């Protein structure tokens, strides 16, 4: 059994991660750390786990007792942890914050988008930087184009996300009375996920220099992301579809479909569904994911499976909500 520890255990991503790992056939959760909840039952915070686990939060766990550490801490805290803790050489770390997503000589984290870096992950990586939720949906929409050097004009993206993307701590824009029956934009053209998106596209298409005009939108629902991208593209739709099918043919969670997609096709799963269309010379790409699963904790478990030589779908054969 793979022995797992979790820090930052009280948030949404940690709750989803615990739900996945207690049902994973090859994992034992040894401890879940949350200073503010130390001593309390995990199921007192993540109430959907009543009857599923008797684990209690701890203020800190021993790194020597685990094989893999999941960092579900706020942005900035993982970097502090890596600087202050004594990290065993063989410990695998999967960080769900943005602290190590950009490649640097100052760290050895591999960017953990399996559809891009699966070989690097399975060939000796120890530390994984889990991608952002918007970044996951948008990159999966664009990677096959970059692979075939077809990103040569401005990429326009509008993506709408559920309120869980803002985290468990209440704020003015996640308050039910404001968020419900409401839609708003934020961080237009300046969202922090743009850096990792551009990094990945340039990894496949070094000549990529076009703008990415990204408008993030707050949705009035809890879970899911729909990313809608379009750009000028002279290639026929049938050829584009073939390139996408080829790119994702040996991947276990990303699928290209001829049917229009919606959030309920993917919410509560680790899947990404992609739909392609061509209108008056413009390629239209729609990508949908669950922001807490494929966009966070499900992808973290996927990365863990790769690190430990398990089948990619182990513990991730989940059911969509459908209706």
């Amino acid at each position: 059994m793979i022995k797992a520890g979790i820090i930052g255990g009280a948030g949404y991503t940690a709750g989803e991660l615990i739900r996945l790992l207690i049902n994973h056939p090859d994992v034992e959760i040894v401890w879940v750390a949350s200073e503010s909840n130390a001593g309390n039952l995990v199921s007192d915070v993540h109430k959907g786990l009543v009857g599923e686990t008797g684990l209690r939060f701890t203020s800190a766990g021993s790194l020597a007792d685990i094989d893999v550490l999941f960092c579900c801490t706020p942005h900035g805290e993982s970097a502090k942890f890596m600087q202050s803790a004594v990290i065993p050489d063989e410990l695998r770390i999967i960080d769900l914050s943005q602290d190590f997503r950009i490649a640097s000589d100052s760290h050895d984290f591999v960017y953990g988008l399996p559809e891009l870096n699966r070989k690097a992950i399975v060939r000796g990586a120890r530390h994984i930087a889990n991608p952002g939720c918007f970044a996951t949906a948008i990159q999966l929409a664009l990677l096959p184009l970059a692979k075939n050097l077809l990103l040569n004009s401005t990429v326009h993206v509008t993506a709408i996300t559920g309120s869980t993307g803002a985290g468990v701590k209440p704020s003015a824009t996640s308050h039910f009375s404001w968020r419900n029956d409401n839609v708003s934009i934020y961080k237009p053209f300046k969202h922090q996920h743009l850096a990792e998106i551009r990094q990945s596209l340039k990894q496949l298409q070094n000549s990529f220099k076009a703008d990415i005009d990204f408008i993030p939108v707050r949705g009035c629902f809890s879970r899911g992301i729909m990313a809608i991208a379009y750009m000028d593209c002279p290639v026929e739709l049938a050829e584009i579809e073939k390139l996408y099918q080829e790119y994702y043919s040996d991947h276990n969670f990303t699928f290209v479909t001829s049917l229009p997609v919606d959030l309920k096709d993917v919410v509560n799963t680790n899947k990404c569904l992609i739909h392609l269309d061509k209108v008056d010379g413009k390629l239209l790409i729609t990508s949908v994911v669950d922001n807490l699963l494929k966009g966070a904790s499900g992808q973290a478990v996927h990365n863990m499976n790769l690190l430990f030589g398990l089948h990619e779908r182990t513990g991730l054969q989940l059911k969509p909500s459908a209706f």
Side-chain angles (χ1 to χ4, degrees), residues 214-234:
F214 174 33
I215 307 295
V217 181
R218 301 182 185 95
C220 55
F221 49 90
S222 297
R223 299 175 72 120
I225 290 175
M226 174 176 282
I228 305 128
Y230 70 90
M231 69 218 65
D232 294 328
C233 183

Short mmCIF file of all heavy atoms in Angstrom, two decimals, residues 214-234:
data_model
loop_
_atom_site.label_atom_id
_atom_site.label_comp_id
_atom_site.label_asym_id
_atom_site.label_seq_id
_atom_site.Cartn_x
_atom_site.Cartn_y
_atom_site.Cartn_z
N PHE A 214 -7.55 36.03 -22.57
CA PHE A 214 -8.31 35.15 -21.67
C PHE A 214 -9.22 35.98 -20.77
O PHE A 214 -8.75 36.84 -20.02
CB PHE A 214 -7.33 34.31 -20.85
CG PHE A 214 -7.96 33.46 -19.78
CD1 PHE A 214 -9.24 32.90 -19.94
CD2 PHE A 214 -7.28 33.19 -18.61
CE1 PHE A 214 -9.81 32.12 -18.96
CE2 PHE A 214 -7.84 32.40 -17.61
CZ PHE A 214 -9.11 31.87 -17.79
N ILE A 215 -10.51 35.69 -20.82
CA ILE A 215 -11.50 36.32 -19.95
C ILE A 215 -12.06 35.27 -19.00
O ILE A 215 -12.86 34.42 -19.41
CB ILE A 215 -12.66 36.95 -20.76
CG1 ILE A 215 -12.14 37.90 -21.84
CG2 ILE A 215 -13.63 37.67 -19.81
CD1 ILE A 215 -11.44 39.12 -21.30
N PRO A 216 -11.66 35.26 -17.73
CA PRO A 216 -12.24 34.34 -16.76
C PRO A 216 -13.61 34.86 -16.28
O PRO A 216 -13.79 36.07 -16.11
CB PRO A 216 -11.24 34.35 -15.60
CG PRO A 216 -10.04 35.11 -16.10
CD PRO A 216 -10.55 36.03 -17.17
N VAL A 217 -14.53 33.95 -16.05
CA VAL A 217 -15.89 34.30 -15.65
C VAL A 217 -16.28 33.49 -14.42
O VAL A 217 -16.06 32.27 -14.37
CB VAL A 217 -16.89 34.03 -16.80
CG1 VAL A 217 -18.31 34.43 -16.38
CG2 VAL A 217 -16.48 34.78 -18.06
N ARG A 218 -16.86 34.17 -13.44
CA ARG A 218 -17.43 33.48 -12.27
C ARG A 218 -18.83 33.00 -12.63
O ARG A 218 -19.68 33.80 -13.01
CB ARG A 218 -17.52 34.40 -11.07
CG ARG A 218 -16.22 35.01 -10.59
CD ARG A 218 -16.49 35.86 -9.36
NE ARG A 218 -15.31 36.58 -8.88
CZ ARG A 218 -15.00 37.83 -9.21
NH1 ARG A 218 -15.81 38.51 -10.05
NH2 ARG A 218 -13.93 38.42 -8.72
N GLY A 219 -19.07 31.70 -12.48
CA GLY A 219 -20.40 31.16 -12.75
C GLY A 219 -21.24 31.04 -11.50
O GLY A 219 -20.73 31.09 -10.38
N CYS A 220 -22.54 30.85 -11.70
CA CYS A 220 -23.47 30.76 -10.56
C CYS A 220 -23.77 29.30 -10.23
O CYS A 220 -24.89 28.95 -9.89
CB CYS A 220 -24.75 31.52 -10.88
SG CYS A 220 -25.55 31.00 -12.41
N PHE A 221 -22.75 28.45 -10.33
CA PHE A 221 -22.87 27.03 -10.00
C PHE A 221 -21.65 26.63 -9.18
O PHE A 221 -20.69 27.42 -9.06
CB PHE A 221 -22.96 26.19 -11.28
CG PHE A 221 -21.90 26.52 -12.31
CD1 PHE A 221 -20.68 25.87 -12.31
CD2 PHE A 221 -22.12 27.50 -13.26
CE1 PHE A 221 -19.70 26.18 -13.23
CE2 PHE A 221 -21.15 27.82 -14.20
CZ PHE A 221 -19.93 27.17 -14.19
N SER A 222 -21.67 25.44 -8.60
CA SER A 222 -20.62 25.05 -7.67
C SER A 222 -19.39 24.46 -8.34
O SER A 222 -18.25 24.77 -7.95
CB SER A 222 -21.17 24.04 -6.65
OG SER A 222 -22.19 24.61 -5.88
N ARG A 223 -19.61 23.58 -9.33
CA ARG A 223 -18.49 22.81 -9.87
C ARG A 223 -18.46 22.87 -11.38
O ARG A 223 -19.49 22.91 -12.03
CB ARG A 223 -18.61 21.34 -9.44
CG ARG A 223 -18.59 21.09 -7.96
CD ARG A 223 -18.83 19.63 -7.67
NE ARG A 223 -17.68 18.83 -8.03
CZ ARG A 223 -17.00 18.08 -7.16
NH1 ARG A 223 -17.38 18.03 -5.91
NH2 ARG A 223 -15.98 17.36 -7.55
N GLY A 224 -17.23 22.79 -11.90
CA GLY A 224 -17.06 22.67 -13.34
C GLY A 224 -16.44 23.89 -13.98
O GLY A 224 -16.52 25.00 -13.43
N ILE A 225 -15.78 23.67 -15.11
CA ILE A 225 -15.25 24.74 -15.95
C ILE A 225 -15.60 24.43 -17.39
O ILE A 225 -15.41 23.30 -17.86
CB ILE A 225 -13.71 24.86 -15.83
CG1 ILE A 225 -13.31 25.40 -14.45
CG2 ILE A 225 -13.14 25.77 -16.92
CD1 ILE A 225 -11.81 25.42 -14.22
N MET A 226 -16.11 25.43 -18.09
CA MET A 226 -16.25 25.36 -19.54
C MET A 226 -15.34 26.42 -20.13
O MET A 226 -15.49 27.61 -19.84
CB MET A 226 -17.69 25.57 -20.00
CG MET A 226 -17.83 25.64 -21.53
SD MET A 226 -19.54 25.79 -22.12
CE MET A 226 -20.08 24.07 -21.95
N ALA A 227 -14.39 25.99 -20.95
CA ALA A 227 -13.48 26.91 -21.64
C ALA A 227 -13.85 26.92 -23.12
O ALA A 227 -13.93 25.87 -23.76
CB ALA A 227 -12.03 26.47 -21.46
N ILE A 228 -14.08 28.11 -23.65
CA ILE A 228 -14.46 28.28 -25.05
C ILE A 228 -13.35 29.09 -25.73
O ILE A 228 -13.12 30.25 -25.38
CB ILE A 228 -15.80 29.01 -25.20
CG1 ILE A 228 -16.89 28.27 -24.41
CG2 ILE A 228 -16.20 29.15 -26.65
CD1 ILE A 228 -17.66 29.16 -23.49
N ALA A 229 -12.63 28.45 -26.64
CA ALA A 229 -11.51 29.09 -27.32
C ALA A 229 -11.80 29.17 -28.81
O ALA A 229 -12.42 28.27 -29.38
CB ALA A 229 -10.21 28.31 -27.08
N TYR A 230 -11.32 30.26 -29.44
CA TYR A 230 -11.43 30.33 -30.90
C TYR A 230 -10.26 31.12 -31.46
O TYR A 230 -9.63 31.93 -30.76
CB TYR A 230 -12.76 30.94 -31.34
CG TYR A 230 -12.95 32.40 -31.05
CD1 TYR A 230 -12.57 33.38 -31.98
CD2 TYR A 230 -13.53 32.82 -29.85
CE1 TYR A 230 -12.76 34.72 -31.71
CE2 TYR A 230 -13.71 34.16 -29.59
CZ TYR A 230 -13.32 35.11 -30.52
OH TYR A 230 -13.50 36.44 -30.25
N MET A 231 -9.93 30.84 -32.72
CA MET A 231 -8.80 31.48 -33.40
C MET A 231 -8.95 31.28 -34.89
O MET A 231 -9.70 30.40 -35.34
CB MET A 231 -7.49 30.86 -32.92
CG MET A 231 -7.30 29.42 -33.40
SD MET A 231 -6.55 28.35 -32.19
CE MET A 231 -7.78 28.31 -30.90
N ASP A 232 -8.23 32.06 -35.68
CA ASP A 232 -8.17 31.85 -37.11
C ASP A 232 -7.40 30.56 -37.39
O ASP A 232 -6.36 30.31 -36.77
CB ASP A 232 -7.46 33.01 -37.80
CG ASP A 232 -8.23 34.32 -37.68
OD1 ASP A 232 -9.47 34.25 -37.63
OD2 ASP A 232 -7.60 35.39 -37.61
N CYS A 233 -7.91 29.76 -38.31
CA CYS A 233 -7.25 28.49 -38.63
C CYS A 233 -7.63 28.09 -40.05
O CYS A 233 -8.81 27.87 -40.34
CB CYS A 233 -7.66 27.40 -37.64
SG CYS A 233 -6.82 25.83 -37.91
N PRO A 234 -6.64 27.96 -40.95
CA PRO A 234 -6.95 27.63 -42.34
C PRO A 234 -7.19 26.15 -42.60
O PRO A 234 -7.61 25.77 -43.69
CB PRO A 234 -5.69 28.11 -43.08
CG PRO A 234 -4.60 27.93 -42.07
CD PRO A 234 -5.20 28.24 -40.74
#
